[in-house]
Amino acid sequence: MTATTPTSNRDTATPGGTPALVVVAHGSRDPRALSTVRALLDRVRTLRPALPVRLGHIELNEPLLPDTLAALGGGEAVLVPLLLGRGYHVKRDIPDMAAASPARTRVAAPLGPHPLLVDALHARLTEAGWPTRPAPDHAVVLASAGSRDPESRADTSRTAALLAARLGVPVVPAYASAATPTVPDAVRALTARGHRRIALASCFTAPGRFATQCAAAAPWIASAPLGTHPAMARLLLHRYDETLMTDGAMKRRALATP
């Protein structure tokens, strides 16, 4: 998804004209979330030292996204949501904040679904004790925050399907709020199908109330939030690059049109 605010004649975010990468986090009252996000951005900066990387929150933590964008003035930026599917924040909150800022912005797609996200989920499960060769009675509950938006749930289901293909076992999506099934409901459904080793894959970007709540309902192992896994840093950069390439292709087509 790409949204572009009106352009201006002011300079871009850097002297060389490179648009800034603005990572848009939700925000959390859990202090571990902010420290995790900052550490993830440090990983991104290590991968691409010349790229200006900024942080903006939708709520609860500073810097808030409008303040981050205001500091860019009329410069260019690509806003990459640190969110794992489509929903109200991606569709409305972030584009509205971008449109109200003086910066020239484009909004990237959320991080999921994508194979790099599955890389991180798989790695976190392996760290938690997931076996190299799971037995037929193994299964996974993919726990995420939840949303009333059907496209958000579709994205989570797609991520679950990609993870199931990677692991070779059933993966059932479940939600901490706003959608069903809950984690306990998903566990009961898998148990009724004969699965005895049910792991929980934490589809959260950082520690927080929902991640803790879901992990507590795991009947066996529970993976840690995705956090600073290297695949997450690569995925942020991929969404940034993807947005710039899409925008460039659209401009080329426009110029070629008589």
Side-chain angles (χ1 to χ4, degrees):
M1 183 184 82
T2 303
T4 305
T5 60
T7 59
S8 73
N9 294 321
R10 297 181 63 179
D11 291 337
T12 54
T14 62
T18 302
L21 164 59
V22 177
V23 176
V24 185
H26 181 276
S28 172
R29 292 183 177 87
D30 190 320
R32 296 174 298 169
L34 180 56
S35 61
T36 299
V37 171
R38 285 175 171 164
L40 176 60
L41 265 61
D42 286 342
R43 276 193 177 273
V44 173
R45 294 183 182 104
T46 299
L47 289 173
R48 200 168 296 181
L51 176 65
V53 179
R54 306 285 185 265
L55 172 62
H57 292 93
I58 297 170
E59 59 182 355
L60 299 175
N61 292 122
E62 293 182 349
L64 292 171
L65 179 57
D67 296 332
T68 298
L69 295 177
L72 292 175
E76 287 190 89
V78 175
L79 279 55
V80 181
L82 189 60
L83 301 168
L84 304 178
R86 292 167 292 176
Y88 190 85
H89 293 313
V90 171
K91 293 179 178 181
R92 292 293 301 275
D93 284 338
I94 297 173
D96 286 353
M97 292 178 191
S101 80
R104 292 174 286 168
T105 61
R106 283 151 282 190
V107 180
L111 300 187
H114 193 274
L116 282 169
L117 178 59
V118 176
D119 287 349
L121 287 165
H122 187 191
R124 292 294 189 229
L125 275 172
T126 301
E127 293 167 1
W130 182 260
T132 304
R133 296 181 179 177
D137 66 343
H138 285 59
V140 172
V141 172
L142 180 70
S144 68
S147 170
R148 293 182 179 87
D149 191 312
E151 289 189 320
S152 176
R153 296 193 296 275
D155 288 343
T156 304
S157 294
R158 177 59 180 155
T159 298
L162 291 171
L163 184 59
R166 178 76 59 88
L167 299 176
V169 303
V171 177
V172 174
Y175 306 95
S177 69
T180 57
T182 64
V183 171
D185 287 344
V187 169
R188 282 191 289 269
L190 286 167
T191 301
R193 289 160 53 184
H195 297 284
R196 297 292 177 265
R197 290 284 193 175
I198 302 172
L200 183 130
S202 184
C203 196
F204 297 96
T205 56
R209 178 169 63 91
F210 284 162
T212 300
Q213 170 188 318
C214 290
W220 181 36
I221 59 173
S223 65
L226 301 167
T228 60
H229 190 275
M232 295 294 286
R234 294 198 300 272
L235 183 49
L236 286 168
L237 287 169
H238 170 75
R239 290 302 194 209
Y240 171 88
D241 293 336
E242 176 183 65
T243 302
L244 290 181
M245 287 189 293
T246 300
D247 187 65
M250 291 175 63
K251 288 179 179 178
R252 287 192 294 272
R253 284 197 295 270
L255 291 172
T257 302

